[in-house]
Amino acid sequence: MTELIPAILAKDEATFRSRLAIAEMLASIVQLDIMDGHFVPNATWYDPAALKTIKTNARYELHLMVSDPTAYIGASEHMTNIARIIWHIEVAIAHDVLINWCHKLKIEPGLALSPETPVGRLAPFAESVDEILVLGVTPGFSGQNIQPHAIEHVKEIRARWPNVIVGFDGGVNVQTIPHLREAGVTRFYAASAIFQAHNPEKAYKALSAIL
């Protein structure tokens, strides 16, 4: 089954709220792109205390582009609407400990792979996570074009671990979705293709129609 998830990259709470108001009408899960300004050269808004006060029927997925995923998982421990947390394989951390922690919290763990990272880095953990998220672009900024070898990463992951959900983030649009789907992607993330469109709802439906 294929799935299209709106991804929100927000610099402040007001932007997050306005994009969430759109996204929650379109999908049951919304991805929050969280950047700390260290792991990537950009920083985004994320305030768990404020997030708890926002009423929404949507569940959240956290894509942690951060140097210390542990702190963010800990801050999310008592949030009941966190469906999934994804962090990067490139972070020097005990991934198995975080994976087990998420399982105990009934949160789906996932690992993200940046374009320059070999797929083999995932091998010790690939069968323990619920999703492998392939980055089609260097993480940090929205609106970039796909780096072609990222599609080769998808193919390799699908061949090595055929049962894992393969997500793709970066450069997802009406032109790229057919190629990504053919390579083996089943979960698609779109940010600029939705929120920079003149009509985000229409853009989301156009993307969904070609899944």
Side-chain angles (χ1 to χ4, degrees):
M1 185 182 79
T2 56
E3 185 178 8
L4 176 65
I5 297 180
I8 298 177
L9 189 160
K11 300 291 285 187
D12 52 59
E13 184 177 346
T15 301
F16 174 78
R17 285 177 176 270
S18 65
R19 293 187 174 182
L20 177 63
I22 295 168
E24 67 181 352
M25 296 188 299
L26 305 173
S28 59
I29 292 184
V30 177
Q31 186 192 73
L32 281 63
D33 283 331
I34 301 171
M35 307 177 192
D36 63 359
H38 300 285
F39 182 72
V40 295
N42 194 7
T44 58
W45 177 85
Y46 181 63
D47 182 345
L51 206 60
K52 289 179 183 179
T53 69
I54 300 175
K55 296 185 183 300
T56 177
N57 291 324
R59 302 192 75 199
Y60 298 125
E61 170 185 298
L62 309 184
H63 176 195
L64 303 179
M65 289 168 272
V66 302
S67 298
D68 183 15
T70 305
Y72 290 83
I73 296 173
S76 305
E77 194 166 3
H78 301 293
M79 295 178 64
T80 58
N81 61 339
I82 302 292
R84 188 179 305 121
I85 299 179
I86 299 172
W87 61 93
H88 276 256
I89 190 65
E90 296 87 9
V91 177
I93 202 163
H95 296 288
D96 54 342
V97 172
L98 297 193
I99 290 168
N100 291 334
W101 187 11
C102 285
H103 283 148
K104 289 179 181 178
L105 295 175
K106 308 299 183 186
I107 293 172
E108 294 182 3
L111 285 171
L113 183 77
S114 295
E116 68 277 5
T117 305
V119 168
R121 288 278 297 277
L122 296 165
F125 316 104
E127 295 180 347
S128 301
V129 296
D130 290 272
E131 177 181 350
I132 294 173
L133 178 61
V134 176
L135 273 290
V137 301
T138 301
F141 296 92
S142 185
Q144 302 177 63
N145 294 324
I146 288 178
Q147 297 181 27
H149 62 279
I151 298 180
E152 297 305 313
H153 281 175
V154 173
K155 294 177 181 178
E156 183 177 349
I157 291 166
R158 179 59 69 210
R160 294 179 67 169
W161 304 291
N163 296 322
V164 72
I165 292 173
V166 180
F168 197 92
D169 191 352
V172 172
N173 54 48
V174 292
Q175 287 78 34
T176 60
I177 283 177
H179 303 289
L180 295 171
R181 187 180 58 207
E182 183 179 359
V185 175
T186 55
R187 188 173 282 159
F188 300 81
Y189 296 84
S192 58
I194 296 173
F195 296 109
Q196 291 183 17
H198 177 70
N199 185 325
E201 182 178 359
K202 185 176 179 180
Y204 181 88
K205 290 180 178 178
L207 294 168
S208 298
I210 57 175
L211 291 184

